[in-house]
């Protein structure tokens, strides 16, 4: 999985901790998401997209393995 979370977060001037607080998750979750090491739940994916003002389908991309 690839995400644009880091790019969008930085564009909004937000830290990982701030994004985590807004999304109701731990900062470590954001770290793992940004590195593509964690697939978010559907709810978390949509929550992050809303917070980052980005359509969910543009925020995440999944590749066939």
């Amino acid at each position: 999985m690839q995400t644009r979370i880091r790019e969008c977060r930085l564009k909004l001037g937000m830290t990982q901790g701030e994004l985590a607080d807004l999304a109701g998750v731990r900062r470590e979750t954001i770290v793992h998401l940004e590195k593509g090491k964690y697939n978010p739940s559907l709810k978390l994916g949509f929550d992050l997209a809303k917070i980052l003002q980005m359509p969910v389908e543009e925020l995440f991309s999944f590749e066939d393995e």
Side-chain angles (χ1 to χ4, degrees):
M1 175 189 74
Q2 293 187 333
T3 74
R4 295 180 61 198
I5 293 173
R6 184 175 192 276
E7 171 190 339
C8 295
R9 175 179 61 76
L10 293 175
K11 189 175 176 182
L12 294 173
M14 201 178 297
T15 66
Q16 289 174 331
E18 291 168 336
L19 178 57
D21 287 343
L22 289 171
V25 296
R26 296 176 35 204
R27 187 188 64 81
E28 290 81 3
T29 301
I30 301 300
V31 171
H32 291 300
L33 284 166
E34 288 185 351
K35 291 182 178 182
K37 297 183 183 274
Y38 174 71
N39 291 333
S41 67
L42 190 57
K43 181 182 181 333
L44 178 55
F46 277 99
D47 288 348
L48 289 171
K50 184 176 181 180
I51 293 165
L52 295 171
Q53 304 165 13
M54 169 78 58
V56 71
E57 58 271 9
E58 292 181 25
L59 190 59
F60 298 98
S61 61
F62 296 91
E63 300 169 6
D64 293 332
E65 295 183 23

